[in-house]
Amino acid sequence: MIPSVPAVLVDLAGKVMASAAPNVNPTDRASTLGLSALLIGLAAEGLDSAAHHLVMENRAFRTLLAKGAAYAPPPVEHAEDDFRLSALAAENGRLRAALITLQTAVEGRDEAMNDAIWAELRASTERRKIQGSAV
């Protein structure tokens, strides 16, 4: 499971607060604060682009689901007018589940559609990479 950015930030807040205690070993404090600073920077980068990536993925998933309607009916359309990350992620999960159903239906029957689904899933993984990620 990949932890959510808010969960990581809450954990980091606790670690930073604990590091302020006078009895913390200075080496441990420096280590905790250095790691915290790195993770906060990565979280900031991820948050900056998260909504954009989810909107782009949701659009791409809807396009694939519409093209594959002959194999699996696409899910009921929802207006994408709530741009909170939690709402976009929930819609992304719903669309991903439908895409899995479609991929299962086209596997071995429609190679072009199957390839298009896998290409979008690879692209969605690439979109989510941040500069701090291993290449």
Side-chain angles (χ1 to χ4, degrees):
M1 180 180 137
I2 298 173
S4 68
V5 171
V8 170
L9 292 177
V10 167
D11 185 60
L12 288 175
K15 287 181 179 0
V16 169
M17 198 167 8
S19 292
N23 61 338
V24 174
N25 179 310
T27 303
D28 292 339
R29 177 180 290 123
S31 175
T32 297
L33 293 176
L35 177 60
S36 296
L38 173 70
L39 289 173
I40 289 169
L42 292 173
E45 186 180 340
L47 279 175
D48 183 49
S49 60
H52 175 75
H53 294 312
L54 285 166
V55 168
M56 298 310 291
E57 280 180 18
N58 290 353
R59 287 178 184 168
F61 291 172
R62 283 188 191 97
T63 299
L64 287 169
L65 290 164
K67 287 180 182 177
Y71 297 102
V76 174
E77 193 64 35
H78 285 120
E80 196 160 68
D81 54 4
D82 185 347
F83 295 104
R84 289 175 299 148
L85 291 178
S86 59
L88 292 170
E91 179 66 0
N92 188 269
R94 187 179 82 90
L95 294 171
R96 275 183 187 273
L99 198 61
I100 290 168
T101 299
L102 174 59
Q103 191 280 323
T104 301
V106 300
E107 190 170 29
R109 296 172 63 193
D110 186 333
E111 188 174 334
M113 188 72 206
N114 191 52
D115 290 347
I117 292 168
W118 283 108
E120 176 50 37
L121 292 174
R122 281 190 296 277
S124 74
T125 299
E126 289 299 316
R127 276 192 294 272
R128 291 170 185 260
K129 285 185 178 179
I130 55 177
Q131 286 182 331
S133 295
V135 180

